[in-house]
Amino acid sequence: MEFEFSENSVKILNTVNFDLSQTFGCGQCFRWNKFENKFFGAAFGEFVSLTQNGTTVIIENTNEEKFNLIWKDYFDLESNYKFMAEHLSDINPILDKAIRECSGIRILKQDPWEALCSFIISQNNNIPRIKKIVNSLCVKFGGNLADGIFTFPKPEILAACEEEDLASVRAGFRARYIIDAARKVSEGTLDFLELKNMPPEEASGVLMQIIGVGPKIAECVRLYGLHDFRAFPIDVWMKKIMEKLFPGVSSDIFGDFRGLAQQYLYHYIRLHPDVIA
DNA sequence: GTCCAGGATCGGA
DNA sequence: TCCGATCATGGA
């Protein structure tokens, strides 16, 4: 991939394994929206819009400095997905089939606090409504970046809330989970930098000390927030996939990139639910 | 009215 | 250790 910089945009040329629709639509994030062939969203206090034409991706409202600081990392542009995808394809023919269709997925390096909060909201919920609640949370407690685009609320802000303050967000029983997470993060009981240096099981264990965070959400935070590809979140869909397509098989067969394998399989089956019907 | 959604928790067997 | 009911909400 090559980068071309101008005053208010960055052009990425000759992309490999990078598809915006797949990356934003594979269920890893909830705050990117498509409008007239353009994706809008924000991360780390900056907002951009993106368009894709074949192997060319244009990021608008950024520059060389911000791109190198935020977006190159956020989109994980320096990891070799071609290598990882080929490696995974060799492991299993079913996974290979999923990868042939979903190889444009990149695992975003999201803000771990945002990932934690988002996936707390995701529990026993559907994706359109998850997006609605996350958006409401940003509108009410985040900062205004641009027309209709907000930053994700700081943990300190939500830590100071009581459940009734979150009522208008319509998070339901998850409100107290969000507040507990916010308090543990803002007080330093939970430090994401420390989690990165822990063994996987230990990191999950710390995350699960938050009320309302169990194994699945912990794995999501490690995969999407800490970029730990060994994490393998199992939701109702992945459970069905493993039972139907990989009976008696452990996720260990997918090796150290099993988190990425999970994403290929999850997105593939959401596109073709009949495969496990 | 019933069922379900990228789950977790609690009580009882 | 395992199982089932329950949790708040809104759309199908």
Side-chain angles (χ1 to χ4, degrees), chain A residues 86-275:
Chain A
E86 285 174 355
H87 172 73
L88 290 172
S89 282
D90 288 339
I91 291 178
N92 179 280
I94 301 172
L95 180 55
D96 173 62
K97 191 169 184 185
I99 291 172
R100 283 185 200 179
E101 192 166 330
C102 305
S103 62
I105 292 175
R106 275 175 187 261
I107 305 295
L108 300 171
K109 290 186 179 176
Q110 302 183 58
D111 173 10
W113 157 243
E114 179 176 335
L116 169 60
C117 225
S118 301
F119 280 93
I120 283 175
I121 292 168
S122 80
Q123 75 169 259
N124 199 23
N125 214 341
N126 57 65
I127 289 179
R129 203 167 155 265
I130 297 165
K131 294 182 74 169
K132 239 180 224 178
I133 295 171
V134 171
N135 183 252
S136 299
L137 201 64
C138 295
V139 171
K140 179 154 189 183
F141 299 103
N144 195 346
L145 272 179
D147 192 26
I149 302 183
F150 295 78
T151 59
F152 198 85
K154 300 285 178 202
E156 295 78 23
I157 302 289
L158 297 178
C161 288
E162 300 298 332
E163 285 184 49
E164 55 199 45
D165 300 319
L166 292 184
S168 67
V169 170
R170 314 301 286 165
F173 63 89
R174 309 165 192 85
R176 73 186 185 99
Y177 302 163
I178 296 170
I179 293 171
D180 187 59
R183 290 183 179 165
K184 287 190 166 74
V185 171
S186 67
E187 287 166 5
T189 311
L190 176 61
D191 184 344
F192 292 114
L193 288 177
E194 287 179 10
L195 291 190
K196 275 206 163 189
N197 298 320
M198 285 180 192
E201 287 182 11
E202 197 177 330
S204 286
V206 173
L207 287 164
M208 287 190 288
Q209 287 173 9
I210 299 167
I211 304 171
V213 175
K216 193 269 179 182
I217 296 178
E219 297 287 303
C220 284
V221 174
R222 282 177 42 224
L223 180 56
Y224 306 127
L226 304 179
H227 212 66
D228 181 355
F229 278 34
R230 296 166 298 182
F232 194 84
I234 300 178
D235 71 314
V236 288
W237 291 89
M238 281 308 298
K239 190 170 183 298
K240 277 187 206 166
I241 291 169
M242 295 306 287
E243 285 170 357
K244 291 255 182 184
L245 305 181
F246 304 93
V249 173
S250 161
S251 62
D252 292 344
I253 67 154
F254 301 129
D256 285 341
F257 304 137
R258 73 192 86 125
L260 180 59
Q262 176 271 156
Q263 209 62 42
Y264 290 139
L265 289 169
Y266 176 84
H267 191 47
Y268 175 73
I269 223 66
R270 297 293 314 246
L271 294 173
H272 307 284
D274 52 298
V275 173

